[in-house]
Amino acid sequence: MASDPIAGVPLPWPDQPGELPRHFRNRQALAQTLEQLFPEAAGSLSPVRGGRHQADTLLARLQPERYAKGRNFLDGPVTRLSPYIRHGVLTLAEVREAVFARTRSRQGSEKLINELGWRDYWQRLWQQLGDGLWRDQEELKTGHSAAAYARELPADILEARTGLACMDGFIEELHGTGWLHNHARMWLAAYLVHWRRIRWQTGAQWFLQHLLDGDPASNALSWQWVASSFSHKPYIFNRGNLERYSNGRACRHCPLATEGCPFEASYEQLEADLFAPMPTIRATDNRRGGRDASRSGNRGRSGTTQGSSTTALSRPTPRR
Amino acid sequence: MQRPILWIHGEALGPANPALVAHPGRPAVFVFDSALLLGRSASTGDPSSPAEPVSLKRIGFLYECLLELPVSLRRGDVAEEVLTFAAAHGADGIVTCASNDPRVARITETLLRQLPVQVLAVEPFVQLDGPVDLGRFSRYWRRAEPQVWAGWREPGP
């Protein structure tokens, strides 16, 4: 409970000068102390609690088969383990064993194990790329030059007043809780990069400020996937896709629901509106061997999207 | 190393941290990295953009994770604070756990100028020997998936 005292586990060695407190009257007192210790850090605590105790509670609720079926929906049975995995509160090996312990048939758990694989993949890439993951891995395939993208986040985005109920809701959730469903991350990232033409790095840094699971590798490389510097095609969505996987939650009270929704179009129309002609796309891809051809190959109109348990903005996915 | 201290970093805030497992009861320290929290690191921000501090939500989450571990908390320059802690405990070395973050590697190098540092590996998700093709996930997964599932035993009737 929020009013319960918070006590760090006892230390068998004496405190040294300059060490930070480990006992608090309650969670509010913790928040106040942290505000004093870290005055530059904006906001307050997330409703999501840190610690292995909470991670174990979530782990006990794992349902790999339900996850496989419903993970793309904003209200679907995603695990919410990502912050704990990102900071090693749980190791991937521990989560793998927890999934195995709940596995009756391999097929039912393959999706969740595959998601853990994505986390491992991004981490291996981080080892390989180092800080270079902030650089475009490939040319953009949008027909726009990198210089055409704004470096700063516009105020209406920072203040969650874009006028789009879906995006404003996602921004408020990001700022308030530090967690977003993977699908919401993808939509928000695509909106920023493609509809607002903001550099992916700017968006990625903004996510890292807020996401409890903010991992440089998963986050930056997934933004690159959306932007198309780490994929063979930019990721976009349309209203039909968003409405389906959000159960129309935001659209029901969006002032633009009946007229003016920028996502209300076919993919063909949106591509024509958002991107400049780029006749060399195919040649580029063939030459490079399509780093994530497996993902882009999956991105046909009939694919399904993936909500992630494990990563910041988890590996991007097919758009429908 | 007879009297090491343990340096816990933000990639391994759980009881499975191999330094905690290998040296139960030894003094352990976590340092809130001031520069990193101000966004002045590639771990929290784009190196080519102006720095933006991370929000209190993230710090609070780390803090709550850390309160469940036997670890002293400090803030400032990580290497300096770890070495101060090591000196206060008369340590002859530092034990920590592996990380993919280049920032952790750089801090480790700084520590090494003063004290021996032992870096312990975390249990891997999947052990893949030799070079791994990361060109695309599918290539990695083609190799990794059978290895991962080799550890699963179908439940009996």
Side-chain angles (χ1 to χ4, degrees), chain A residues 8-9 11 13 19-22 27 37 42 44 49-53 86-88 96 114 118 120-121 123-124 127 131 134 151 175 199 205 208-211 214 216 291, chain B residues 10-11 13-14 28 42-43 46 48-50 52-53 55-58 63-65 67-75 100 102 106 123 125-126 134-137 140-141:
Chain A
V9 298
L11 302 181
W13 57 85
E19 283 171 6
L20 308 183
R22 298 178 72 257
R27 203 164 187 251
L37 287 171
S44 195
R49 280 200 175 211
R52 178 61 180 246
H53 182 75
R86 185 267 177 263
H87 287 295
R96 179 197 65 208
N114 178 283
W118 275 99
D120 189 53
Y121 174 69
Q123 292 297 300
R124 286 170 189 264
Q127 208 164 41
D131 296 346
W134 286 100
R151 296 187 70 91
H175 286 171
R199 283 168 92 228
Q205 174 163 310
L208 284 187
Q209 280 179 265
H210 293 285
L211 286 174
R291 166 157 243 159
Chain B
E11 306 282 305
L13 300 184
S43 310
D46 170 28
S48 74
S49 297
E52 294 280 358
S55 65
L56 202 75
K57 297 183 290 292
R58 294 203 66 182
Y63 217 100
E64 288 181 321
C65 294
L67 291 176
E68 294 187 12
L69 296 176
V71 57
S72 294
L73 307 176
R74 306 180 71 90
R75 69 182 158 147
N100 295 315
R106 290 193 284 268
E123 185 191 347
F125 173 66
V126 56
L134 301 175
R136 2 172 177 151
F137 177 79
Y140 153 78
W141 196 234

Coordinates of all heavy atoms in Angstrom, one line a residue, chain A residues 8-9 11 13 19-22 27 37 42 44 49-53 86-88 96 114 118 120-121 123-124 127 131 134 151 175 199 205 208-211 214 216 291, chain B residues 10-11 13-14 28 42-43 46 48-50 52-53 55-58 63-65 67-75 100 102 106 123 125-126 134-137 140-141:
Chain A
G8 N 14.5 -0.7 3.4 CA 15.5 -1.4 2.6 C 15.9 -2.7 3.5 O 15.8 -2.7 4.7
V9 N 16.3 -3.7 2.8 CA 16.8 -4.9 3.5 C 18.0 -4.5 4.4 O 18.8 -3.6 4.0 CB 17.2 -6.1 2.6 CG1 16.0 -6.6 1.8 CG2 18.3 -5.7 1.7
L11 N 21.5 -4.0 6.1 CA 22.9 -4.1 5.6 C 23.8 -4.6 6.8 O 23.8 -4.0 7.8 CB 23.4 -2.8 5.1 CG 22.6 -2.2 4.0 CD1 23.3 -0.9 3.5 CD2 22.5 -3.1 2.8
W13 N 26.8 -4.2 7.1 CA 28.0 -3.3 7.3 C 27.5 -1.9 7.6 O 26.4 -1.5 7.3 CB 28.8 -3.3 6.0 CG 28.1 -2.9 4.8 CD1 27.9 -1.6 4.3 CD2 27.4 -3.7 3.8 NE1 27.1 -1.6 3.2 CE2 26.8 -2.9 2.8 CE3 27.3 -5.1 3.7 CZ2 26.1 -3.4 1.8 CZ3 26.5 -5.6 2.7 CH2 26.0 -4.8 1.7
E19 N 26.0 8.3 2.1 CA 25.1 7.3 1.5 C 23.7 7.7 1.6 O 23.3 8.5 2.5 CB 25.4 6.0 2.2 CG 26.7 5.4 1.6 CD 27.3 4.2 2.2 OE1 26.7 3.6 3.2 OE2 28.4 3.8 1.8
L20 N 22.9 7.3 0.7 CA 21.5 7.7 0.6 C 20.6 6.9 1.5 O 20.9 5.7 1.8 CB 21.0 7.6 -0.9 CG 21.9 8.2 -1.9 CD1 21.3 8.1 -3.3 CD2 22.2 9.7 -1.6
P21 N 19.5 7.5 1.9 CA 18.6 6.8 2.9 C 18.0 5.5 2.3 O 17.7 5.4 1.1 CB 17.5 7.8 3.1 CG 17.6 8.8 2.0 CD 19.0 8.8 1.5
R22 N 17.7 4.6 3.2 CA 17.1 3.3 2.7 C 15.8 3.0 3.5 O 15.3 1.9 3.4 CB 18.1 2.2 2.8 CG 19.3 2.4 1.9 CD 20.4 1.3 2.0 NE 20.0 0.1 1.5 CZ 19.5 -1.0 2.1 NH1 19.5 -0.9 3.4 NH2 19.2 -2.1 1.5
R27 N 5.5 5.7 0.7 CA 6.0 5.9 -0.7 C 6.0 7.4 -1.0 O 6.9 7.8 -1.8 CB 5.1 5.1 -1.6 CG 5.8 4.8 -3.0 CD 5.1 3.8 -3.8 NE 5.8 3.4 -4.9 CZ 5.5 3.7 -6.2 NH1 4.4 4.4 -6.4 NH2 6.3 3.4 -7.2
L37 N 16.8 14.9 -3.8 CA 18.1 14.3 -4.2 C 18.4 14.5 -5.7 O 19.6 14.7 -6.1 CB 18.2 12.8 -3.9 CG 18.3 12.4 -2.4 CD1 18.1 10.9 -2.3 CD2 19.7 12.8 -1.9
A42 N 12.3 15.4 -13.6 CA 10.9 15.9 -13.7 C 9.9 14.8 -13.2 O 10.2 13.6 -13.3 CB 10.5 16.4 -15.1
S44 N 7.0 12.7 -10.8 CA 7.1 12.0 -9.5 C 7.2 10.5 -9.8 O 7.6 10.1 -10.9 CB 5.8 12.3 -8.7 OG 6.1 11.9 -7.4
R49 N 5.6 -0.2 -9.4 CA 6.6 -0.4 -8.3 C 7.8 -1.2 -8.8 O 7.7 -2.2 -9.5 CB 6.0 -1.1 -7.1 CG 5.2 -0.2 -6.3 CD 5.1 -0.8 -4.9 NE 4.4 0.2 -4.1 CZ 4.5 0.3 -2.8 NH1 5.4 -0.5 -2.1 NH2 3.9 1.2 -2.1
G50 N 9.0 -0.7 -8.4 CA 10.2 -1.5 -8.7 C 10.4 -2.6 -7.7 O 9.7 -2.6 -6.6
G51 N 11.3 -3.5 -8.0 CA 11.6 -4.6 -7.0 C 11.2 -6.0 -7.4 O 10.3 -6.2 -8.2
R52 N 12.0 -6.9 -6.9 CA 11.8 -8.3 -7.3 C 10.4 -8.8 -6.8 O 9.8 -9.7 -7.4 CB 12.9 -9.1 -6.7 CG 12.8 -10.6 -6.9 CD 12.8 -10.9 -8.4 NE 12.7 -12.4 -8.6 CZ 13.7 -13.1 -9.2 NH1 14.8 -12.6 -9.6 NH2 13.5 -14.4 -9.3
H53 N 10.0 -8.3 -5.6 CA 8.7 -8.7 -5.1 C 7.6 -8.5 -6.1 O 6.8 -9.5 -6.4 CB 8.4 -8.0 -3.8 CG 7.2 -8.4 -3.1 ND1 7.1 -9.6 -2.4 CD2 6.0 -7.8 -3.1 CE1 5.9 -9.7 -2.0 NE2 5.1 -8.7 -2.4
R86 N 14.6 -5.3 -18.1 CA 15.6 -4.3 -18.6 C 16.6 -4.0 -17.6 O 17.8 -3.9 -17.9 CB 14.9 -3.0 -19.0 CG 15.8 -2.0 -19.6 CD 16.3 -1.0 -18.6 NE 17.2 0.0 -19.1 CZ 18.6 -0.2 -19.1 NH1 19.1 -1.3 -18.6 NH2 19.4 0.8 -19.5
H87 N 16.2 -4.0 -16.3 CA 17.2 -3.7 -15.2 C 17.7 -4.9 -14.5 O 18.3 -4.8 -13.4 CB 16.6 -2.7 -14.3 CG 16.6 -1.3 -14.9 ND1 17.7 -0.6 -15.2 CD2 15.5 -0.5 -15.2 CE1 17.4 0.6 -15.8 NE2 16.1 0.7 -15.8
G88 N 17.5 -6.1 -15.1 CA 18.1 -7.3 -14.5 C 17.5 -7.7 -13.2 O 18.1 -8.5 -12.5
R96 N 12.6 -17.2 -18.8 CA 12.6 -18.4 -19.7 C 12.1 -19.6 -18.9 O 11.2 -20.4 -19.3 CB 13.9 -18.7 -20.3 CG 14.0 -19.9 -21.2 CD 15.5 -20.3 -21.4 NE 16.1 -20.7 -20.2 CZ 17.4 -20.6 -19.8 NH1 18.3 -20.1 -20.7 NH2 17.8 -21.0 -18.7
N114 N 9.8 -16.3 -28.1 CA 10.3 -15.6 -29.2 C 10.6 -14.1 -28.8 O 11.6 -13.5 -29.2 CB 9.3 -15.7 -30.3 CG 9.7 -14.9 -31.6 OD1 9.5 -13.7 -31.6 ND2 10.2 -15.5 -32.6
W118 N 13.9 -11.7 -28.8 CA 14.1 -10.3 -29.3 C 14.9 -9.5 -28.3 O 15.8 -8.7 -28.7 CB 12.8 -9.6 -29.6 CG 12.3 -10.0 -31.0 CD1 11.4 -10.9 -31.3 CD2 12.7 -9.4 -32.2 NE1 11.2 -11.0 -32.7 CE2 12.0 -10.1 -33.3 CE3 13.7 -8.4 -32.6 CZ2 12.2 -9.8 -34.6 CZ3 13.8 -8.1 -33.9 CH2 13.1 -8.8 -34.9
D120 N 17.1 -10.6 -26.3 CA 18.5 -11.1 -26.3 C 19.2 -10.6 -27.6 O 20.3 -10.2 -27.6 CB 18.5 -12.6 -26.3 CG 19.9 -13.2 -26.2 OD1 20.6 -12.8 -25.2 OD2 20.2 -14.1 -27.0
Y121 N 18.4 -10.6 -28.7 CA 18.9 -10.1 -30.0 C 19.4 -8.6 -29.9 O 20.5 -8.3 -30.3 CB 17.9 -10.3 -31.0 CG 18.2 -9.7 -32.4 CD1 19.2 -10.3 -33.2 CD2 17.5 -8.6 -32.9 CE1 19.5 -9.8 -34.5 CE2 17.7 -8.1 -34.2 CZ 18.7 -8.7 -34.9 OH 19.0 -8.2 -36.2
Q123 N 20.2 -7.0 -27.3 CA 21.4 -6.8 -26.4 C 22.7 -7.3 -27.1 O 23.7 -6.7 -26.9 CB 21.1 -7.7 -25.1 CG 20.0 -7.2 -24.3 CD 20.4 -5.8 -23.7 OE1 21.3 -5.6 -23.0 NE2 19.5 -4.8 -24.0
R124 N 22.6 -8.3 -27.9 CA 23.7 -8.7 -28.7 C 24.1 -7.6 -29.7 O 25.3 -7.4 -29.9 CB 23.4 -10.1 -29.4 CG 23.4 -11.3 -28.5 CD 22.9 -12.5 -29.2 NE 22.7 -13.6 -28.3 CZ 23.6 -14.6 -28.0 NH1 24.7 -14.6 -28.7 NH2 23.3 -15.5 -27.1
Q127 N 26.0 -4.9 -28.0 CA 27.4 -5.3 -27.8 C 28.2 -5.0 -29.1 O 29.4 -4.5 -29.0 CB 27.5 -6.7 -27.4 CG 28.7 -7.1 -26.6 CD 28.5 -8.5 -26.0 OE1 28.0 -9.4 -26.7 NE2 28.8 -8.6 -24.7
D131 N 27.7 2.6 -28.8 CA 26.9 3.9 -28.9 C 26.5 4.2 -30.3 O 25.7 5.1 -30.5 CB 27.8 5.1 -28.3 CG 28.1 4.9 -26.8 OD1 27.4 4.0 -26.2 OD2 29.0 5.6 -26.3
W134 N 22.9 4.9 -32.0 CA 22.2 6.2 -32.2 C 22.4 6.7 -33.6 O 21.8 7.8 -34.0 CB 22.8 7.2 -31.2 CG 22.3 7.0 -29.8 CD1 22.9 6.4 -28.8 CD2 21.0 7.4 -29.3 NE1 22.2 6.4 -27.7 CE2 21.0 6.9 -27.9 CE3 19.9 8.0 -29.8 CZ2 19.9 7.1 -27.1 CZ3 18.8 8.2 -29.0 CH2 18.8 7.8 -27.7
R151 N 14.6 18.5 -35.1 CA 15.4 18.1 -34.0 C 14.7 18.2 -32.7 O 15.1 17.6 -31.7 CB 16.7 18.9 -34.0 CG 17.6 18.7 -35.2 CD 19.0 19.3 -35.0 NE 19.8 18.6 -34.0 CZ 20.6 17.6 -34.3 NH1 20.8 17.3 -35.5 NH2 21.3 17.1 -33.3
H175 N 4.1 9.8 -19.8 CA 4.6 10.7 -18.8 C 4.1 10.3 -17.4 O 4.9 10.5 -16.5 CB 4.0 12.1 -19.1 CG 4.7 12.8 -20.3 ND1 4.3 14.0 -20.9 CD2 5.8 12.4 -21.1 CE1 5.1 14.3 -21.9 NE2 6.0 13.4 -22.0
R199 N 13.0 13.8 -36.0 CA 14.1 12.8 -36.1 C 13.8 11.7 -35.1 O 13.4 11.9 -34.0 CB 15.4 13.5 -35.6 CG 16.1 14.3 -36.4 CD 17.2 15.0 -35.6 NE 18.4 14.3 -35.6 CZ 19.1 14.1 -34.5 NH1 18.7 14.4 -33.3 NH2 20.3 13.5 -34.6
Q205 N 15.1 9.6 -27.5 CA 15.6 10.2 -26.3 C 14.4 10.5 -25.4 O 14.5 10.3 -24.2 CB 16.4 11.4 -26.6 CG 16.8 12.2 -25.4 CD 17.9 13.2 -25.7 OE1 18.9 12.8 -26.3 NE2 17.8 14.4 -25.3
L208 N 13.4 7.4 -23.7 CA 14.3 7.0 -22.6 C 14.2 7.8 -21.3 O 14.5 7.4 -20.3 CB 15.8 7.1 -23.1 CG 16.3 6.0 -24.1 CD1 17.7 6.2 -24.3 CD2 16.0 4.6 -23.5
Q209 N 13.7 9.1 -21.5 CA 13.5 9.9 -20.3 C 12.4 9.3 -19.4 O 12.5 9.4 -18.2 CB 13.1 11.3 -20.7 CG 14.2 12.2 -21.2 CD 13.5 13.6 -21.5 OE1 13.2 13.8 -22.7 NE2 13.3 14.4 -20.6
H210 N 11.5 8.7 -20.1 CA 10.3 8.3 -19.3 C 10.1 6.8 -19.1 O 9.5 6.4 -18.1 CB 9.0 8.9 -20.0 CG 9.0 10.4 -20.0 ND1 8.6 11.1 -18.9 CD2 9.3 11.3 -20.9 CE1 8.7 12.4 -19.1 NE2 9.1 12.5 -20.3
L211 N 10.4 6.0 -20.1 CA 10.1 4.6 -20.0 C 10.9 3.9 -18.8 O 12.1 3.9 -18.8 CB 10.4 3.9 -21.3 CG 9.5 4.1 -22.4 CD1 10.0 3.4 -23.7 CD2 8.0 3.6 -22.1
G214 N 13.3 1.7 -20.3 CA 14.0 2.4 -21.4 C 15.4 1.8 -21.6 O 16.3 1.9 -20.7
P216 N 18.7 1.5 -24.1 CA 19.2 2.1 -25.3 C 19.1 1.3 -26.6 O 18.7 1.8 -27.7 CB 20.7 2.4 -25.0 CG 20.7 2.4 -23.5 CD 19.6 1.4 -23.0
R291 N 18.6 -5.9 -43.9 CA 19.0 -6.3 -42.5 C 17.8 -7.0 -41.8 O 18.0 -8.0 -41.1 CB 19.4 -5.1 -41.7 CG 19.5 -5.3 -40.3 CD 20.5 -4.3 -39.7 NE 21.6 -5.0 -39.1 CZ 22.7 -4.5 -38.9 NH1 23.0 -3.3 -39.2 NH2 23.7 -5.2 -38.3
Chain B
G10 N 23.1 -0.8 -13.0 CA 21.7 -0.8 -13.3 C 21.3 -1.9 -14.3 O 20.1 -1.9 -14.7
E11 N 22.2 -2.7 -14.7 CA 21.8 -3.8 -15.6 C 21.5 -5.1 -14.9 O 21.1 -6.1 -15.5 CB 23.0 -4.1 -16.6 CG 23.5 -2.9 -17.4 CD 22.6 -2.6 -18.5 OE1 22.3 -3.4 -19.4 OE2 22.1 -1.4 -18.6
L13 N 19.8 -5.6 -11.3 CA 19.3 -5.2 -10.0 C 18.4 -6.3 -9.4 O 17.4 -6.1 -8.7 CB 18.5 -4.0 -10.1 CG 19.2 -2.7 -10.7 CD1 18.3 -1.5 -10.7 CD2 20.5 -2.5 -9.8
G14 N 18.9 -7.6 -9.5 CA 18.1 -8.7 -9.0 C 19.0 -9.6 -8.1 O 20.2 -9.5 -8.2
A28 N 28.2 -4.1 -0.7 CA 27.9 -3.8 -2.1 C 27.4 -2.4 -2.2 O 26.8 -1.8 -1.3 CB 26.8 -4.8 -2.5
A42 N 25.2 8.2 -23.7 CA 24.5 7.5 -24.7 C 23.5 6.4 -24.2 O 22.7 5.9 -24.9 CB 25.5 6.8 -25.7
S43 N 23.6 6.2 -22.9 CA 22.7 5.2 -22.3 C 21.3 5.8 -22.0 O 20.4 5.2 -21.8 CB 23.3 4.7 -21.0 OG 24.6 4.2 -21.2
D46 N 20.5 10.8 -26.9 CA 21.2 10.8 -28.2 C 22.5 11.7 -28.0 O 22.4 12.9 -27.7 CB 20.3 11.5 -29.2 CG 21.0 11.8 -30.5 OD1 22.0 11.1 -30.9 OD2 20.5 12.7 -31.2
S48 N 24.1 13.3 -30.0 CA 24.2 14.6 -30.8 C 23.1 15.5 -30.5 O 22.9 16.5 -31.2 CB 24.1 14.2 -32.3 OG 22.8 13.8 -32.7
S49 N 22.3 15.2 -29.5 CA 21.2 16.2 -29.1 C 21.5 16.8 -27.7 O 22.3 16.2 -26.9 CB 19.9 15.4 -28.9 OG 19.5 14.8 -30.2
P50 N 20.9 17.9 -27.4 CA 21.1 18.5 -26.0 C 20.6 17.5 -25.0 O 19.5 16.8 -25.2 CB 20.2 19.7 -26.1 CG 19.9 20.0 -27.5 CD 20.0 18.7 -28.2
E52 N 18.8 15.8 -21.9 CA 17.5 15.9 -21.2 C 17.6 15.0 -20.0 O 17.7 13.8 -20.2 CB 16.3 15.6 -22.1 CG 16.1 16.5 -23.3 CD 15.4 17.7 -22.9 OE1 15.0 17.9 -21.7 OE2 15.2 18.6 -23.8
P53 N 17.3 15.5 -18.8 CA 17.4 14.6 -17.6 C 16.3 13.5 -17.7 O 15.2 13.7 -18.2 CB 17.2 15.5 -16.4 CG 17.4 16.9 -16.9 CD 17.1 16.9 -18.4
S55 N 13.4 11.2 -16.1 CA 12.3 11.6 -15.2 C 12.5 10.8 -13.8 O 13.2 9.8 -13.7 CB 11.0 11.2 -15.8 OG 10.9 9.8 -15.9
L56 N 11.8 11.4 -12.8 CA 11.9 10.8 -11.5 C 11.3 9.4 -11.4 O 11.7 8.6 -10.6 CB 11.2 11.7 -10.5 CG 11.6 11.5 -9.0 CD1 13.0 12.2 -8.8 CD2 10.6 12.1 -8.1
K57 N 10.4 9.1 -12.4 CA 9.8 7.8 -12.4 C 10.9 6.7 -12.5 O 10.8 5.7 -11.9 CB 8.9 7.6 -13.6 CG 7.7 8.5 -13.7 CD 6.8 8.2 -14.9 CE 7.4 8.6 -16.2 NZ 7.6 10.1 -16.4
R58 N 11.8 6.9 -13.4 CA 12.9 5.9 -13.7 C 13.8 5.8 -12.4 O 14.2 4.7 -12.1 CB 13.7 6.3 -14.9 CG 12.9 6.2 -16.2 CD 13.8 6.1 -17.4 NE 14.4 4.8 -17.4 CZ 15.3 4.3 -18.3 NH1 15.6 5.1 -19.3 NH2 15.9 3.1 -18.2
Y63 N 15.3 2.9 -7.5 CA 15.4 3.0 -6.0 C 14.7 1.8 -5.3 O 15.2 1.2 -4.4 CB 14.9 4.3 -5.6 CG 15.7 4.9 -4.4 CD1 16.7 5.9 -4.7 CD2 15.5 4.5 -3.1 CE1 17.4 6.5 -3.6 CE2 16.3 5.1 -2.1 CZ 17.2 6.1 -2.3 OH 17.9 6.6 -1.3
E64 N 13.4 1.6 -5.8 CA 12.6 0.5 -5.2 C 13.3 -0.9 -5.4 O 13.2 -1.7 -4.6 CB 11.2 0.6 -5.7 CG 10.5 1.8 -5.1 CD 9.0 1.9 -5.6 OE1 8.7 1.6 -6.8 OE2 8.2 2.3 -4.8
C65 N 13.8 -1.0 -6.6 CA 14.5 -2.3 -6.9 C 15.7 -2.5 -5.9 O 15.9 -3.5 -5.3 CB 15.1 -2.3 -8.3 SG 13.8 -2.4 -9.6
L67 N 16.2 -1.1 -2.9 CA 15.9 -1.3 -1.5 C 15.6 -2.8 -1.2 O 15.7 -3.2 0.0 CB 14.7 -0.5 -1.2 CG 14.9 1.0 -1.2 CD1 13.6 1.8 -0.9 CD2 15.9 1.4 -0.1
E68 N 15.4 -3.6 -2.2 CA 15.2 -5.0 -1.9 C 16.5 -5.8 -2.0 O 16.5 -7.0 -1.9 CB 14.2 -5.6 -2.9 CG 12.8 -5.0 -2.7 CD 11.7 -5.7 -3.5 OE1 12.0 -6.8 -4.1 OE2 10.6 -5.2 -3.6
L69 N 17.6 -5.1 -2.2 CA 18.9 -5.8 -2.3 C 19.8 -5.3 -1.2 O 19.7 -4.1 -0.7 CB 19.6 -5.5 -3.6 CG 18.9 -6.0 -4.9 CD1 19.7 -5.5 -6.1 CD2 18.8 -7.5 -4.9
P70 N 20.7 -6.1 -0.7 CA 21.7 -5.6 0.3 C 22.8 -4.8 -0.4 O 23.8 -5.3 -0.7 CB 22.3 -7.0 0.9 CG 22.1 -7.9 -0.3 CD 20.9 -7.5 -1.1
V71 N 22.4 -3.5 -0.5 CA 23.4 -2.6 -1.2 C 23.3 -1.2 -0.7 O 22.2 -0.7 -0.4 CB 23.1 -2.7 -2.8 CG1 21.6 -2.4 -3.1 CG2 24.0 -1.8 -3.6
S72 N 24.4 -0.6 -0.5 CA 24.5 0.8 -0.1 C 24.3 1.7 -1.3 O 24.7 1.3 -2.4 CB 25.8 1.1 0.5 OG 26.0 0.5 1.8
L73 N 23.7 2.9 -1.1 CA 23.3 3.7 -2.2 C 24.1 5.0 -2.1 O 24.2 5.6 -1.1 CB 21.8 4.0 -2.2 CG 20.9 2.8 -2.2 CD1 19.5 3.2 -2.1 CD2 21.1 1.9 -3.4
R74 N 24.7 5.4 -3.3 CA 25.4 6.7 -3.3 C 25.0 7.4 -4.6 O 24.4 6.8 -5.5 CB 26.9 6.4 -3.3 CG 27.4 5.6 -2.1 CD 28.9 5.4 -2.1 NE 29.7 6.6 -1.8 CZ 30.0 7.0 -0.6 NH1 29.7 6.2 0.5 NH2 30.7 8.1 -0.4
R75 N 25.5 8.6 -4.8 CA 25.2 9.3 -6.1 C 26.5 10.1 -6.4 O 27.2 10.5 -5.5 CB 24.0 10.1 -6.1 CG 24.1 11.3 -5.2 CD 22.9 12.2 -5.1 NE 23.0 12.9 -3.9 CZ 22.5 14.1 -3.7 NH1 21.9 14.7 -4.6 NH2 22.7 14.8 -2.5
N100 N 26.2 -5.0 -21.3 CA 26.4 -4.7 -22.7 C 26.6 -3.2 -22.9 O 26.8 -2.7 -24.0 CB 25.2 -5.1 -23.6 CG 25.1 -6.6 -23.6 OD1 26.2 -7.3 -23.7 ND2 24.0 -7.2 -23.4
P102 N 28.3 0.2 -23.0 CA 29.7 0.6 -23.1 C 30.1 1.6 -21.9 O 31.2 1.6 -21.6 CB 29.7 1.4 -24.4 CG 28.5 1.1 -25.2 CD 27.5 0.6 -24.2
R106 N 33.5 1.5 -19.7 CA 34.4 2.6 -19.5 C 34.6 2.8 -18.0 O 35.7 3.1 -17.5 CB 33.8 3.8 -20.1 CG 33.9 3.8 -21.7 CD 33.7 5.1 -22.3 NE 32.2 5.5 -22.3 CZ 31.4 5.2 -23.3 NH1 31.8 4.5 -24.4 NH2 30.1 5.6 -23.2
E123 N 23.8 -15.5 -16.1 CA 23.4 -16.8 -16.8 C 22.8 -16.3 -18.2 O 21.8 -15.5 -18.2 CB 22.4 -17.6 -16.0 CG 22.0 -18.9 -16.7 CD 20.8 -19.6 -16.1 OE1 20.4 -19.2 -15.0 OE2 20.3 -20.5 -16.7
F125 N 20.6 -16.2 -21.7 CA 19.3 -16.7 -22.2 C 19.6 -17.9 -23.1 O 18.8 -18.9 -23.0 CB 18.6 -15.6 -23.0 CG 17.4 -16.0 -23.7 CD1 16.3 -16.4 -23.0 CD2 17.3 -16.0 -25.1 CE1 15.1 -16.7 -23.7 CE2 16.2 -16.3 -25.8 CZ 15.1 -16.7 -25.1
V126 N 20.6 -17.8 -23.9 CA 20.9 -18.9 -24.7 C 22.4 -18.9 -25.0 O 23.0 -17.8 -25.2 CB 20.1 -18.9 -26.0 CG1 20.3 -17.6 -26.8 CG2 20.5 -20.1 -26.9
L134 N 24.0 -11.4 -36.7 CA 22.9 -10.6 -36.2 C 22.3 -9.7 -37.3 O 21.6 -8.8 -37.1 CB 23.4 -9.7 -35.1 CG 24.0 -10.4 -33.9 CD1 24.6 -9.4 -32.9 CD2 23.0 -11.3 -33.2
G135 N 22.7 -10.1 -38.5 CA 22.2 -9.3 -39.7 C 20.7 -9.2 -39.7 O 20.1 -8.1 -40.1
R136 N 20.0 -10.2 -39.3 CA 18.6 -10.1 -39.0 C 18.2 -11.0 -37.9 O 18.9 -12.0 -37.7 CB 17.7 -10.4 -40.2 CG 18.4 -10.8 -41.5 CD 17.4 -11.3 -42.5 NE 18.1 -11.6 -43.7 CZ 17.6 -12.5 -44.5 NH1 16.5 -13.2 -44.3 NH2 18.3 -12.8 -45.6
F137 N 17.0 -10.7 -37.3 CA 16.6 -11.5 -36.2 C 16.4 -13.0 -36.6 O 16.7 -13.9 -35.9 CB 15.3 -11.0 -35.6 CG 14.7 -11.8 -34.5 CD1 15.2 -11.8 -33.3 CD2 13.6 -12.7 -34.8 CE1 14.7 -12.5 -32.2 CE2 13.1 -13.5 -33.8 CZ 13.7 -13.4 -32.5
Y140 N 19.5 -15.0 -36.5 CA 19.9 -15.2 -35.1 C 18.9 -16.3 -34.5 O 19.4 -17.3 -33.8 CB 19.8 -13.9 -34.3 CG 19.5 -14.1 -32.8 CD1 20.5 -14.5 -31.9 CD2 18.2 -13.9 -32.3 CE1 20.2 -14.7 -30.5 CE2 17.9 -14.1 -31.0 CZ 18.9 -14.5 -30.1 OH 18.6 -14.7 -28.8
W141 N 17.7 -16.2 -34.7 CA 16.7 -17.0 -34.1 C 16.7 -18.4 -34.6 O 16.4 -19.4 -33.9 CB 15.3 -16.4 -34.2 CG 14.2 -17.0 -33.3 CD1 13.0 -17.5 -33.7 CD2 14.3 -17.1 -31.9 NE1 12.4 -17.9 -32.5 CE2 13.1 -17.7 -31.4 CE3 15.3 -16.7 -30.9 CZ2 12.9 -18.0 -30.1 CZ3 15.1 -17.0 -29.6 CH2 13.9 -17.6 -29.2

